[in-house]
Amino acid sequence: MTARPIHSLCPQAPVPALPSEGMIGVIAPAGPAALDTDKALRWMRARGYSLKVFPGVYEKDGYLAGSDDVRLNDLHAAFEDRDVDAIICLRGGYGTPRLLDRIDFKLLRDNAKPFVGYSDITALHLAISRYAGFVTFHGPMLNADLLGDKQQPTESSFFNILRGQLRAGTVLAHPVAYPLTTIEPGIAHGRLLGGNLAMITATMGTPYEMDAEGVILLIEDINEPLYRIDRLLTQLRLAGTLHKLRGVLVGDVAGVEVTALERLLKQTFEALKIPVLSGWRSGHCDPNLTLPMGALVRLDARNKELVLEQDVVVRR
């Protein structure tokens, strides 16, 4: 059901803001996890929201949360359900790439709403950006992040951006306890896109690969030793992807020694003369900050700032 691709330089549409006392739908488009439904309902109610759990959340098919049909049906149903104001994924793992060539992107575009996840969910962020053309959110998932009591500002970052409290011109806050590092100085304007580095690379050569022209690339990963991070970045370089970028925002690369990672980033990006900022708390980390995928942003690597250049949600 692949639609016509949308060029990376085209603006991505904002989505309706999450209203007060709205309903959040939870789906499991990738791997399975045991959900404590009572705990999840209490957590949402305490914050003024109701929760709708779609059927695949309770299923398990090996390393998948239910069959491809079940997971695809939940994805479509959550977008189509007019009572659901935002969608959050249960967890990552693996499974979303198996759905890409069967997604009805017109259905998603006609029912655009906040969609949140990271890790394996990167494949959906890339596909939605390319074929549906609306902003999605690289942010916390229900089980490991929100119900896992990750420290602030995980929760406040999630709700503030979805509710529309962060408007165009906002400098996105980053906790001072986690210093950022300028790998390459400079200022870049472009669409923020990317996510899990392994998943970005896995989609290369498919109709769902990232159109990198004019993009500020977000990368994060976990359980990949330094030489594999090198291999993934090298593949993107040899494919011509890195040369199209305007800047790079490096999120959490869990399990890799920071100094060694920064040296690799310097080696990879120095010749490209684009700004690179490292250490953003987004990905498999605590806290885990929410970022708008597909949104126009300004990256100022020298001053260690990321600024929204568009409204990413619109209040109804």
Side-chain angles (χ1 to χ4, degrees):
M1 295 185 182
T2 304
R4 290 182 62 186
I6 298 165
H7 195 276
S8 65
L9 297 179
C10 294
Q12 299 283 281
V15 292
L18 175 64
S20 299
E21 300 182 351
M23 177 180 286
I24 297 176
V26 57
I27 63 173
L35 175 65
D36 184 336
T37 306
D38 289 339
K39 180 180 179 181
L41 290 170
R42 289 194 305 271
W43 194 94
M44 287 295 178
R45 278 199 296 265
R47 289 150 182 84
Y49 293 96
S50 57
L51 186 70
K52 180 168 184 177
V53 181
F54 284 81
V57 167
Y58 299 115
E59 296 204 17
K60 185 178 186 296
D61 184 2
Y63 50 80
L64 301 171
S67 68
D68 291 349
D69 284 344
V70 166
R71 291 178 292 111
L72 180 68
N73 289 342
D74 280 359
L75 176 68
H76 286 157
F79 272 98
E80 203 167 20
D81 191 327
R82 294 185 179 275
D83 292 330
V84 171
D85 298 298
I87 303 166
I88 187 170
C89 295
L90 179 69
R91 62 156 295 187
Y94 173 72
T96 59
R98 296 169 58 114
L99 307 179
L100 298 182
D101 58 347
R102 298 176 59 194
I103 293 174
D104 184 343
F105 289 103
K106 183 178 185 302
L107 182 152
L108 271 56
R109 183 172 60 248
D110 291 346
N111 298 277
K113 62 188 68 174
F115 174 78
V116 190
Y118 66 101
S119 193
D120 191 69
I121 311 304
T122 295
L124 291 174
H125 291 310
L126 297 178
I128 290 171
S129 175
R130 192 167 176 90
Y131 291 105
F134 60 86
V135 173
T136 58
F137 298 91
H138 185 279
M141 291 186 280
L142 186 60
N143 245 31
D145 298 277
L146 298 184
L147 299 184
D149 297 324
K150 286 199 172 177
Q151 62 181 306
Q152 286 288 17
T154 299
E155 180 185 331
S156 58
S157 171
F158 170 80
F159 281 118
N160 287 346
I161 198 165
L162 264 62
R163 289 168 174 161
Q165 292 166 259
L166 307 181
R167 310 298 295 272
T170 300
V171 179
L172 295 182
H174 192 271
V176 295
Y178 300 94
L180 297 167
T181 301
T182 300
I183 304 298
E184 289 294 321
I187 297 174
H189 303 259
R191 282 180 49 215
L192 183 64
L193 198 59
N196 181 260
L197 178 59
M199 187 54 64
I200 294 168
T201 308
T203 59
M204 296 298 296
T206 77
Y208 310 95
E209 69 179 4
M210 180 181 62
D211 181 356
E213 192 69 44
V215 159
I216 294 174
L217 178 66
L218 168 69
I219 56 173
E220 66 84 32
D221 222 314
I222 187 172
N223 295 332
E224 298 285 2
L226 186 65
Y227 79 89
R228 291 187 185 175
I229 299 295
D230 187 346
R231 184 171 65 195
L232 294 167
L233 290 172
T234 298
Q235 182 175 346
L236 294 180
R237 179 178 63 82
L238 295 176
T241 300
L242 300 186
H243 293 80
K244 299 176 183 178
L245 300 175
R246 292 185 179 172
V248 180
L249 180 67
V250 183
D252 188 64
V253 183
V256 174
E257 198 272 323
V258 172
T259 303
L261 175 65
E262 290 176 354
R263 181 171 179 269
L264 173 60
L265 293 171
K266 185 78 172 177
Q267 291 173 341
T268 302
F269 294 107
E270 185 174 26
L272 299 181
K273 306 300 182 185
I274 58 174
V276 181
L277 182 64
S278 182
W280 197 272
R281 300 298 290 180
S282 186
H284 300 79
C285 54
D286 184 10
N288 180 11
L289 307 180
T290 301
L291 290 168
M293 296 292 93
L296 292 171
V297 300
R298 180 175 82 252
L299 175 66
D300 184 340
R302 184 181 298 279
N303 291 312
K304 303 174 183 178
E305 288 184 347
L306 185 67
V307 184
L308 286 181
E309 292 202 318
Q310 70 168 89
D311 289 342
V312 295
V313 301
V314 289
R315 294 179 179 177
R316 290 176 275 192

